[in-house]
Amino acid sequence: MVTKGNYLGEFEELVLLSVASLVDDAYGVSIMQYIEQEAGRKVNISAVHEVLKRLQRKGYLKSKMGGATQERGGRRKRFFLLTVSGKKTLEDAMKLKLQLYKQVPDFSLKLT
Amino acid sequence: MNTRPPKWADKFLVWYCNPDLLEEIQGDAHELYFERVTNCGKTVADWRYIWDVIRFCRWSNVRRSDDEFRPGYFAVLWSLNFKIAFRNAFRNKLVFSVKMLGLSVCLAFAFVVSAFVIHEFTYDNFHRAHDRLFRVGSKVEIAGSATSYAVSPLSLADGIMEEIPEAENACRIMYTGRPVFTIEDKVFSSEVTLAASSDFAKIFSFDFVSGSKDALEEPNKIIVTESTAAKFFGDADPLQQMIDLPWTQLEVAAVIKDVPANSHLKFDALISWNTFDFYDGWDNLNAYTYVALKPGAEKDDFLSKITKLLLDHQDEIEGNREFAPGDKIKISPIVESITDIHLSEYRDEDIAEKRSKTNIYILIIVVILFFATGLINFLNLSLAEQTTNFRRIGILQVFGGASADHGKLILTNILITVFIIGPLTTLMIYASLIAAESYFSLYIDKNVFTSMPFILVAGAFVLAFIFSTRINLFILSRSNDIINALKGKFNSRQNGFQVRELLVATQLSFSIIMIAIIVIIVDQFQFMNSVDRGFDDKNTIVIKMRGGSFSDAETFQESLRKLSGVKKVDGSSFYLDNIETKELFEVETAEGRKKMLVAYMNCGYEYLDAIGIKITKGRNFNKDHGKDNFGAYIINESAAKEFGWKDPVGRKIWGPLGTDRDEGEVIGVIRDFNFASLHNEIEPLIIFPIAEGWGIEYVYVKVNPIRPSNFISQIEAEYKKAYSNFPMEWEYLDSKYKSLYKEDYEIKEIFQVGLVISIFVSCLGIFSISAFLVIARAKEMGIRKVIGAHPLHLFALHMKRFIKFIFISFLIASPAIYYLSQHWLSNFAYHIELTAWYFIAPALITLVIVLITSGYHGIKNSRVNPVDILKYE
């Protein structure tokens, strides 16, 4: 499996951030709903799953199965957690964005 | 809660989804569903559930794979495998190119030879009904001696159709030689022509290009092959064109594709049977009879019926032989499948292309040897290469590299190998096919490469390749070695090394076998050249005569005698492989007159002198003896032995029976000479002078080594004067003699190429192995040197190993050499004897080669500077 380097895609970053902020409750549906609620963006659940898998392969996320549940027919949830390298990548990405953002002169923003 | 997602959608999800992922996917989908049911109602929830299920249907969810949730290092390494492999290739350019080149050279050679073998085995498979096509030959027993003929009575085909219900079709073919075709003013005389009856097209599957399949039904029709048509008529449409024979005119009725290379019948033109006025009796044993049995008919039933058919016609078969009324002539059929004809034993008067089976079997062994050599060399080198990569493998293992990941490693290796070997081998095969055609005139049908057997052979090799690379990795991934590798210990006592030793020894033994066989073949050829054939074939031109009267031939010979550079000229019925025709003679023995079937030839008075046949007893024919013309015989030594004559001169011979010759006296005995190749034993021979009524078949011209440069054209001019219609056909006797050994020369050439390749590849192997040894034992050598070893001692230490290789390979090779050479030599009635030297000499040659190749590293080894090596510690 070939991965496209270590940088994050836009949606990947969004999912990664959601996982980070949901802390202990990050699983497929909750992540999807969080994104919908915070970013106002409707995404299909399968797309979220896909990205989660990809992030895990890149080593930014780790996962474990939760306990049995009452809803969803007793099926377990897979909870996702940030790995150290995931956290670092996220920090790097944020830092880079902030750094670039800070260099934008004020007037150029006002023009828009 | 009673609501449930649509059942079928759920089932579909369960069906396609990877079971490892099912729980979380289904869980999330269901959770969303129930939420939507409460928020938006059941219908909307159902539809959105279906949509989700469809969206989940992605390859990553369908694929059953266990590495999805493993940490990513292996995925990364897997992608790096290619990079690593290529890096290694660049770092060890020499080993890498040696590896690839060695394997593809061996492969190309093995594939070409196996294509040749398959080509030989698939003779006549192109006939659609080939499994029920048979040729009927005959075994003739006269006066106690039996001879197998490829021909059978002319009436047999008709008899079969009338009386044997199993037969679907039968056709007869007669060999009509190379007639002289005249088209307008052009003359052609080199086309092999057959007379064929009308069922020919129904039995054989030669493809028609134009014209009708019934072309052979009417008289005076001819079918030509495409290339013959092009030769005859150029670009013009050949159909309905007229061709002149000296005695009739033929119309081109059809054109067929050129006869495939794997047809036992080789011809350029077919003339309809009815054009000729053949004598149709059961006693005319001259036709090749082919039968197509009905589908489902048993060969054995057919055989018993045809045996009976021949017995029924016994009277007619014996009919005209009134000169030997007391003799029982028994003819029994020889029925052979058309696909067997090419490789079956030789039969008299056969026009089929034949090859001896032994040679084919020897070639099969060569193929196997070469596949093995290529593979072993490849394995060896990759073992050596990977041993140096132990550390990487160690790291892979520590990261949890299980067999699956090694599988990937192997796959990368295989893929890279295939990418390089594939085109390289194809290129070499192509080049060697061209070389084979232009240098050795070996034609291999290109279709062989797409035929089933060839694909099977190639497939078998690929399997062997994959399997052996697996073994290779298995050896390498032993945990002990890995731990040692990570600790930085790297010694030559590892398991991989013992395996490698065995591999090298096997490979070397193949080289020894090749050398030994080549030496034996060359020796046998030398033996054949040096053996006293009993006649002198140097500087002799043989001119083929075409009909014409006896006196015409005499005048022609007389005119040749006047040319400068000519030593002797005389005619004969003899031409190397031509004496097959035997006739009945009566000879005087201790038990009275006895009938015997003996080979004969007739010749002019000067003939025996001209080709240097020596007379050991008695005298040569002499014109001055009036009686010689019809009353004198000369026999060879074998004949004297056969007839039981101590003193043959003066004994009486009668015959050949049924001709104008009657009683005569033996006037001389000649030394035995090989009138055929050394494959056959010298048979008894009776010689008598040519006379009016017997015709002269060949004129022999013994010439001076120093002769005018336009000598041949002078002879041609004389020939033109005598026979204005015909182009002259001539040959040098010694080149004809060589052509008798065409098949043996082919084998020799194949072995010669094989020898070069095999030595080349083993040199490569030895060279890289010794390079590896130097690295592996560098530290040891360093320490030895510090302690005070002499460089010469170190050199000897390095070489000792290779001498061991040679010894092992000598043991492996000897039985194989014995077996193979015995088989090949048994083809010859006269052959060299195997001595110990044929086994020892090749081993010594190989030893020298090995010493030279490994010597480079041996010297390097002995000059090692211990400081360089030991300072690392």
Side-chain angles (χ1 to χ4, degrees):
Chain A
M1 185 69 203
V2 181
T3 49
K4 301 178 201 155
N6 287 332
Y7 52 84
L8 288 170
E10 190 267 342
F11 190 56
E12 280 179 350
E13 196 180 294
L14 202 59
V15 172
L16 204 57
L17 276 169
S18 312
V19 172
S21 35
L22 284 169
V23 195
D24 282 337
D25 193 37
Y27 70 99
V29 175
S30 71
I31 295 168
M32 184 191 92
Q33 282 164 348
Y34 187 75
I35 292 173
E36 198 176 329
Q37 177 194 321
E38 297 293 318
R41 193 162 138 182
K42 284 211 164 211
V43 283
N44 190 280
I45 180 72
S46 65
V48 177
H49 272 252
E50 207 54 35
V51 169
L52 286 170
K53 251 183 283 181
R54 203 182 306 147
L55 288 172
Q56 194 170 18
R57 249 189 337 258
K58 287 183 179 178
Y60 300 150
L61 292 179
K62 54 189 174 187
S63 69
K64 62 171 195 285
M65 296 304 279
T69 48
Q70 289 296 318
E71 70 276 35
R72 51 194 263 161
R75 292 183 185 85
R76 292 176 298 165
K77 297 168 182 170
R78 183 183 283 279
F79 289 108
F80 290 87
L81 280 172
L82 230 60
T83 61
V84 179
S85 96
K87 199 172 161 212
K88 193 167 174 300
T89 315
L90 200 56
E91 274 169 4
D92 285 351
M94 289 299 131
K95 225 193 254 166
L96 177 71
K97 278 188 185 159
L98 269 176
Q99 189 190 327
L100 290 175
Y101 184 76
K102 275 179 193 158
Q103 285 170 21
V104 177
D106 284 352
F107 60 85
S108 68
L109 278 175
K110 279 172 195 157
L111 278 178
T112 50
Chain B
M1 233 185 277
N2 265 339
T3 43
R4 294 194 56 196
K7 231 178 185 172
W8 59 267
D10 218 26
K11 268 189 182 162
F12 177 59
L13 177 70
V14 173
W15 174 73
Y16 75 67
C17 192
N18 181 354
D20 293 338
L21 303 175
L22 183 65
E23 187 169 6
E24 48 195 284
I25 288 176
Q26 211 178 14
D28 280 1
H30 277 224
E31 189 179 331
L32 280 174
Y33 175 77
F34 292 124
E35 221 176 276
R36 283 168 191 154
V37 169
T38 38
N39 291 346
C40 327
K42 185 167 161 41
T43 336
V44 177
D46 276 357
W47 279 114
R48 294 183 69 174
Y49 182 79
I50 292 166
W51 178 238
D52 280 347
V53 168
I54 295 170
R55 290 291 300 270
F56 267 120
C57 187
R58 301 162 182 242
W59 177 238
S60 62
N61 293 334
V62 175
R63 184 170 60 157
R64 266 59 168 171
S65 151
D66 52 354
D67 69 5
E68 286 297 328
F69 285 97
R70 267 212 232 135
Y73 308 105
F74 260 104
V76 175
L77 281 179
W78 166 232
S79 77
L80 290 181
N81 270 344
F82 275 100
K83 219 175 250 178
I84 293 170
F86 278 115
R87 250 179 225 163
N88 279 338
F90 273 107
R91 197 173 304 146
N92 309 319
K93 277 186 213 73
L94 181 74
V95 172
F96 184 75
S97 41
V98 158
K99 202 164 87 172
M100 295 302 171
L101 205 65
L103 183 59
S104 33
V105 166
C106 283
L107 276 190
F109 184 73
F111 277 132
V112 169
V113 177
S114 51
F116 178 71
V117 170
I118 291 168
H119 176 255
E120 293 293 313
F121 271 115
T122 52
Y123 254 64
D124 294 294
N125 271 358
F126 62 90
H127 296 298
R128 274 180 285 282
H130 62 83
D131 47 342
R132 47 196 180 87
L133 287 187
F134 295 91
R135 184 177 76 176
V136 185
S138 38
K139 195 171 137 199
V140 181
E141 285 170 71
I142 310 177
S145 67
T147 320
S148 295
Y149 289 96
V151 286
S152 45
L154 261 69
S155 304
L156 187 64
D158 289 344
I160 288 171
M161 287 312 289
E162 274 164 34
E163 293 179 42
I164 301 180
E166 274 89 354
E168 189 180 63
N169 274 313
C171 105
R172 47 192 176 173
I173 292 171
M174 195 104 117
Y175 181 62
T176 47
R178 299 163 194 263
V180 180
F181 294 115
T182 319
I183 299 157
E184 282 158 12
D185 52 350
K186 285 179 287 178
V187 177
F188 301 92
S189 67
S190 57
E191 287 70 36
V192 175
T193 309
L194 304 175
S197 64
S198 54
D199 281 341
F200 186 87
K202 287 182 203 149
I203 288 185
F204 301 109
S205 315
F206 295 108
D207 293 328
F208 279 71
V209 177
S210 58
S212 103
K213 287 206 166 192
D214 308 323
L216 292 173
E217 272 172 20
E218 288 166 58
N220 295 322
K221 300 282 180 193
I222 184 169
I223 296 181
V224 291
T225 60
E226 268 181 320
S227 54
T228 315
K231 198 159 76 179
F232 281 0
F233 310 109
D235 294 332
D237 180 21
L239 286 186
Q240 269 83 51
Q241 296 264 23
M242 301 309 281
I243 300 175
D244 286 324
L245 282 183
W247 45 278
T248 186
Q249 204 175 33
L250 301 170
E251 185 194 349
V252 179
V255 178
I256 58 171
K257 284 232 172 85
D258 282 355
V259 176
N262 58 351
S263 165
H264 79 279
L265 275 177
K266 288 269 153 58
F267 58 88
D268 301 302
L270 293 169
I271 299 176
S272 61
W273 184 271
N274 297 335
T275 312
F276 298 89
D277 186 22
F278 292 126
Y279 164 60
D280 229 7
W282 282 86
D283 54 337
N284 187 358
L285 212 72
N286 268 316
Y288 302 93
T289 310
Y290 291 87
V291 181
L293 295 188
K294 283 184 182 144
E298 288 289 319
K299 183 194 165 194
D300 290 342
D301 292 346
F302 175 68
L303 185 62
S304 61
K305 281 186 187 160
I306 197 171
T307 312
K308 195 175 159 290
L309 180 71
L310 281 168
L311 275 179
D312 289 347
H313 291 274
Q314 186 69 20
D315 293 346
E316 290 157 78
I317 291 168
E318 286 175 17
N320 281 6
R321 298 202 171 239
E322 72 270 299
F323 55 84
D327 292 326
K328 271 273 161 279
I329 299 177
K330 206 179 150 247
I331 298 187
S332 38
I334 303 171
V335 177
E336 44 185 348
S337 166
I338 189 167
T339 49
D340 294 342
I341 293 174
H342 178 62
L343 292 176
S344 69
E345 60 187 280
Y346 185 77
R347 304 191 200 292
D348 274 5
E349 291 187 30
D350 207 340
I351 48 167
E353 262 192 359
K354 290 273 192 185
R355 191 175 288 278
S356 105
K357 242 184 189 163
T358 344
N359 286 346
I360 295 292
Y361 289 140
I362 290 176
L363 287 184
I364 292 178
I365 293 174
V366 170
V367 169
I368 295 170
L369 284 190
F370 269 85
F371 274 139
T373 314
L375 211 57
I376 287 174
N377 190 52
F378 183 79
L379 287 188
N380 249 333
L381 294 175
S382 32
L383 259 176
E385 202 186 352
Q386 303 222 0
T387 321
T388 52
N389 281 340
F390 253 141
R391 232 165 265 188
R392 185 169 70 90
I393 296 169
I395 291 166
L396 275 176
Q397 292 250 343
V398 170
F399 272 117
S403 58
D405 304 298
H406 277 291
K408 285 175 182 171
L409 207 81
I410 295 165
L411 206 63
T412 347
N413 279 337
I414 292 178
L415 280 180
I416 289 176
T417 318
V418 167
F419 278 139
I420 295 175
I421 296 281
L424 205 60
T425 311
T426 322
L427 204 73
M428 284 187 196
I429 290 178
Y430 197 70
S432 50
L433 278 185
I434 293 172
E437 274 182 24
S438 47
Y439 293 115
F440 310 138
S441 55
L442 272 180
Y443 292 94
I444 298 170
D445 200 348
K446 304 285 181 299
N447 290 335
V448 169
F449 290 102
T450 49
S451 70
M452 205 53 210
F454 187 79
I455 293 169
L456 283 180
V457 169
F461 175 76
V462 171
L463 272 185
F465 178 68
I466 292 172
F467 184 69
S468 54
T469 24
R470 249 186 193 274
I471 292 178
N472 208 345
L473 262 274
F474 180 73
I475 296 166
L476 285 176
S477 56
R478 294 209 187 176
S479 48
N480 264 349
D481 298 351
I482 302 301
I483 293 164
N484 284 336
L486 285 180
K487 279 185 187 162
K489 281 186 196 163
F490 175 57
N491 62 50
S492 55
R493 285 263 160 256
Q494 266 146 10
N495 290 321
F497 202 77
Q498 280 155 18
V499 176
R500 201 169 322 125
E501 272 178 344
L502 193 70
L503 290 181
V504 173
T506 324
Q507 199 185 335
L508 274 179
S509 65
F510 293 163
S511 305
I512 296 182
I513 294 172
M514 293 306 279
I515 295 175
I517 299 289
I518 274 290
V519 169
I520 289 168
I521 290 179
V522 169
D523 259 23
Q524 172 68 17
F525 276 108
Q526 215 131 53
F527 169 75
M528 290 190 303
N529 280 331
S530 66
V531 77
D532 188 2
R533 277 170 232 154
F535 69 96
D536 180 19
D537 61 1
K538 300 272 165 340
N539 298 313
T540 309
I541 294 168
V542 185
I543 302 163
K544 193 181 172 198
M545 307 301 282
R546 293 177 171 277
S549 71
F550 184 72
S551 55
D552 279 354
E554 291 273 79
T555 357
F556 171 60
Q557 291 184 27
E558 234 10 88
S559 65
L560 288 188
R561 286 190 183 108
K562 287 180 199 131
L563 292 179
S564 79
V566 171
K567 271 189 186 160
K568 283 196 171 98
V569 180
D570 220 327
S572 163
S573 68
F574 159 72
Y575 199 32
L576 284 169
D577 50 353
N578 199 34
I579 298 195
E580 284 157 15
T581 28
K582 294 178 183 171
E583 278 292 345
L584 270 181
F585 287 87
E586 270 188 303
V587 294
E588 180 191 5
T589 64
E591 301 107 53
R593 282 165 72 153
K594 199 176 156 198
K595 287 202 185 70
M596 287 189 145
L597 209 53
V598 190
Y600 74 94
M601 77 181 210
N602 45 28
C603 61
Y605 290 93
E606 276 179 32
Y607 177 75
L608 294 181
D609 272 351
I611 66 166
I613 294 176
K614 291 202 182 63
I615 308 240
T616 52
K617 279 178 196 157
R619 61 173 177 88
N620 199 345
F621 299 123
N622 194 330
K623 270 201 180 113
D624 303 333
H625 282 74
K627 266 184 74 189
D628 272 11
N629 212 354
F630 275 94
Y633 295 97
I634 290 178
I635 60 172
N636 68 356
E637 284 166 345
S638 302
K641 215 189 224 166
E642 173 89 11
F643 304 153
W645 290 342
K646 284 262 153 53
D647 180 26
V649 177
R651 300 288 183 130
K652 292 246 177 336
I653 291 180
W654 294 263
L657 300 178
T659 63
D660 56 354
R661 293 188 155 268
D662 191 24
E663 189 183 305
E665 208 169 79
V666 174
I667 57 161
V669 180
I670 54 158
R671 284 263 315 275
D672 274 348
F673 74 98
N674 276 98
F675 46 85
S677 71
L678 292 180
H679 287 291
N680 310 89
E681 296 225 28
I682 296 172
E683 287 185 70
L685 177 72
I686 296 179
I687 307 169
F688 49 90
I690 275 181
E692 193 91 39
W694 282 82
I696 293 176
E697 289 177 58
Y698 300 94
V699 169
Y700 283 64
V701 185
K702 184 83 183 175
V703 296
N704 270 324
I706 306 156
R707 53 183 178 262
S709 53
N710 63 342
F711 188 68
I712 298 295
S713 52
Q714 281 183 38
I715 296 181
E716 263 170 349
E718 292 301 329
Y719 190 85
K720 197 116 201 159
K721 275 185 215 157
Y723 311 94
S724 51
N725 305 340
F726 310 126
M728 185 174 87
E729 269 183 64
W730 63 279
E731 249 176 331
Y732 282 109
L733 187 58
D734 46 358
S735 69
K736 171 69 184 174
Y737 195 79
K738 263 204 175 131
S739 75
L740 295 181
Y741 299 105
K742 178 171 178 277
E743 202 186 317
D744 304 306
Y745 276 105
E746 280 170 11
I747 293 282
K748 185 185 162 206
E749 275 149 7
I750 290 175
F751 266 84
Q752 264 167 347
V753 176
L755 173 72
V756 172
I757 294 174
S758 136
I759 289 183
F760 168 70
V761 170
S762 2
C763 282
L764 297 182
I766 294 287
F767 189 76
S768 46
I769 290 293
S770 66
F772 173 74
L773 256 181
V774 169
I775 303 168
R777 299 179 72 180
K779 222 168 266 179
E780 180 195 335
M781 295 301 162
I783 293 169
R784 278 177 191 275
K785 209 154 192 192
V786 168
I787 292 171
H790 192 267
L792 221 59
H793 181 188
L794 294 186
F795 182 71
L797 212 65
H798 179 82
M799 296 312 235
K800 215 172 82 187
R801 239 194 170 112
F802 293 97
I803 292 166
K804 197 170 86 191
F805 284 155
I806 295 285
F807 187 70
I808 300 171
S809 43
F810 173 69
L811 292 183
I812 302 176
S814 297
I817 295 172
Y818 181 77
Y819 180 79
L820 285 177
S821 53
Q822 281 295 337
H823 260 265
W824 187 73
L825 288 176
S826 67
N827 278 334
F828 296 89
Y830 302 90
H831 59 78
I832 50 172
E833 290 306 319
L834 283 183
T835 60
W837 276 110
Y838 288 115
F839 299 87
I840 298 168
L844 290 180
I845 296 171
T846 324
L847 180 69
V848 172
I849 294 170
V850 166
L851 289 187
I852 292 168
T853 6
S854 63
Y856 167 73
H857 286 114
I859 293 168
K860 215 172 160 188
N861 208 4
S862 59
R863 295 177 54 152
V864 77
N865 183 355
V867 179
D868 291 339
I869 295 154
L870 297 176
K871 69 182 172 194
Y872 284 118
E873 295 263 309

